[in-house]
Amino acid sequence: MMSTTESAKDPLRKTIGLPLLVLASGQLVISLDYNIVYVALPDIGAGLGFPDHDLQWVVSAYVVATGGFLLLGGRAADLLGRRRMFVVAALLYAGSSLVGGLAQTPGVLVAVRAVQGIGGSLLFPATLSLITTLYDEGPDRNRALAVWGAAGAGGLCFGSLLGGVLVEAFGWPSVFFVNVPVAGALAVAGRSLFPADGPRDRSRHFDVAGALTATGGITLLVFLLVRAPAEGWDTPAALASAVLSVCLLTLFAVVERRSRDPLVPARLFAHRGLLAAMGVTALFSATFSSVPYFLTLYFQTVHGYRAVATGLAFLVPAVVVAVGTQVGERAVSAFGTRRMLVGGMTLGAAGAAALGLALTSDGSYPSLLPGIVLLGLGQGAAWTGMWIAASAGVAPGDQGVASGLASTTLQVGGAVGLAVLVAVAGGVGQNASGPGLLDGIRTAVFAIAVGIGCGALALLALRGATRTGP
């Protein structure tokens, strides 16, 4: 008897490009929403009267909520339906973005960003698990993940450009209003194009206790990693967050051992490929994904670029990363996932080292291009490869939670990585200035090169753990 997943694929065979376009657009929205507000922060602060020390929460609220709810979102996609969660998440994005554009107080805007983060935590695993269940493992899935990855990686860079153009032309509310029609269209398209979820399997239960303890523990952990580097690790808020996070995550482990249908099935922790992919996603976010932060400082603070000029400076990285995702997909077919990841990360390490050498007080943009190209190609290839590794060999019913696990390590890795890199760079930030700023930026970029290189060496030691090809 044909499975529900298999039968659902058949109607899509002739129109496979259109569903993939919608899925890639969903990933583009997530990436844009993360990055688009960066260049709008000064206008948001002035327009709503944000205290300087609270403005970071326009970004941090999104990061904390997304990181905390990803595991829950992944399991919800498995149990409640992938199409259903895709539509709900898109509508959540549309509604919260509308409220964000109309916000008149800092508190409302921060709350909106948290809701958008929850929307991202539902949309990301739903989108990824739809790809991994609609497309057969192998070339078809690899190609789909490459397109999806190009949209996501490109969105991280294009967000800066789009944000700069919108802010200068229409003001800061436009960075929220632009999401409303796009997310609304995604909800309609998702409901029309994706196969129906079918009746829920009543033999499987939602692990409420596991969901609450995991979400609470991870949210507090991400909150700690975002907040403590700026305010101190010994503040009452940091200490309370650390203690509560450890308690909740310990309780989560106890609950999972006793649950008949756990939020995270124990069998997934025996999946070597998934575990290796989780390590790669954490390292990827800690290194590759931290580069735009330091490049933004370099462009705007060292060289005085305005918002639009900074956005334009990220066009080349965006295009190169998109090319890298396609190269990565072809390389997986030729060399296997592990070899491709090692090659991509080695390329990225070389690019980061070259970029660090080119960051000078009087350096031109063209002098940065060799490092940017090498780094971008490696980043795009690694992005595609790590999601191929995370989905390979995972049962269809576990694809959502597997996506949630890998994307949770992506978020936590990013929070840890940026905090460590800022500390290594001497605490440089958006308001930093003086001769020490450039030295700090270069130190951080060299540290990124070392981190990526160490990751490549670690993958060499894990021979066969992430291999899905020849």
Side-chain angles (χ1 to χ4, degrees), residues 425-437:
V428 299
Q430 295 291 346
N431 298 319
S433 60
L437 173 63

Side-chain angles (χ1 to χ4, degrees), residues 55-407:
L55 187 58
Q56 65 158 322
W57 282 103
V58 177
V59 175
S60 298
Y62 185 87
V63 174
V64 170
T66 303
F69 283 80
L70 272 168
L71 202 55
L72 178 62
R75 202 54 171 164
D78 287 335
L79 297 182
L80 304 180
R82 298 177 179 91
R83 185 183 78 167
R84 187 174 295 115
M85 296 313 299
F86 183 94
V87 172
V88 167
L91 291 175
L92 196 60
Y93 258 118
S96 59
S97 296
L98 178 61
V99 175
L102 298 172
Q104 298 295 313
T105 64
V108 170
L109 191 64
V110 170
V112 162
R113 290 292 286 168
V115 174
Q116 285 183 324
I118 295 172
S121 71
L122 299 177
L123 186 60
F124 190 97
T127 301
L128 190 53
S129 60
L130 277 165
I131 288 177
T132 55
T133 52
L134 290 176
Y135 299 86
D136 293 325
E137 187 173 334
D140 286 346
R141 183 185 294 177
N142 295 351
R143 193 172 302 114
L145 284 169
V147 173
W148 170 85
L156 288 175
C157 295
F158 282 119
S160 298
L161 174 60
L162 181 61
V165 171
L166 288 174
V167 168
E168 292 205 1
F170 305 107
W172 69 262
S174 60
V175 302
F176 292 92
F177 287 142
V178 71
N179 274 332
V180 178
V182 176
L186 283 177
V188 173
R191 182 168 178 80
S192 302
L193 291 173
F194 302 145
D197 294 315
R200 180 183 169 187
D201 183 356
R202 297 294 176 181
S203 65
R204 303 181 69 185
H205 303 284
F206 203 89
D207 181 9
V208 177
L212 292 175
T213 52
T215 300
I218 295 170
T219 300
L220 287 167
L221 175 61
V222 178
F223 173 84
L224 173 69
L225 295 172
V226 169
R227 189 78 169 183
E231 297 193 356
W233 294 91
D234 57 351
T235 62
L239 294 174
S241 297
V243 171
L244 287 173
S245 177
V246 170
C247 291
L248 286 172
L249 291 176
T250 302
L251 184 58
F252 169 67
V254 173
V255 168
E256 293 299 276
R257 287 176 61 88
R258 298 181 178 182
S259 175
R260 290 184 303 166
D261 197 358
L263 182 71
V264 181
R267 59 183 173 273
L268 291 180
F269 291 108
H271 194 296
R272 292 183 67 201
L274 176 59
L275 293 179
M278 289 167 63
V280 173
T281 59
L283 179 66
F284 178 97
S285 190
T287 53
F288 284 110
S289 297
S290 296
V291 172
Y293 175 85
F294 293 101
L295 277 183
T296 300
L297 280 179
Y298 179 74
F299 291 141
Q300 293 189 332
T301 308
V302 176
H303 285 289
Y305 287 15
R306 297 186 62 181
V308 172
T310 301
L312 288 171
F314 279 104
L315 272 179
V316 173
V319 172
V320 175
V321 169
V323 171
T325 61
Q326 306 308 304
V327 172
E329 178 261 321
R330 289 168 174 78
V332 166
S333 299
F335 305 109
T337 307
R338 186 183 65 87
R339 291 194 186 105
M340 190 280 291
L341 281 170
V342 171
M345 293 176 75
T346 301
L347 201 63
L355 182 61
L357 292 172
L359 294 173
T360 60
S361 59
D362 56 353
S364 64
Y365 184 77
S367 68
L368 304 179
L369 290 180
I372 285 175
V373 170
L374 291 174
L375 183 65
L377 288 173
Q379 179 176 353
W383 176 266
T384 299
M386 68 190 191
W387 296 115
I388 292 173
S391 64
V394 177
D398 290 331
Q399 285 289 346
V401 72
S403 302
L405 284 168
S407 49

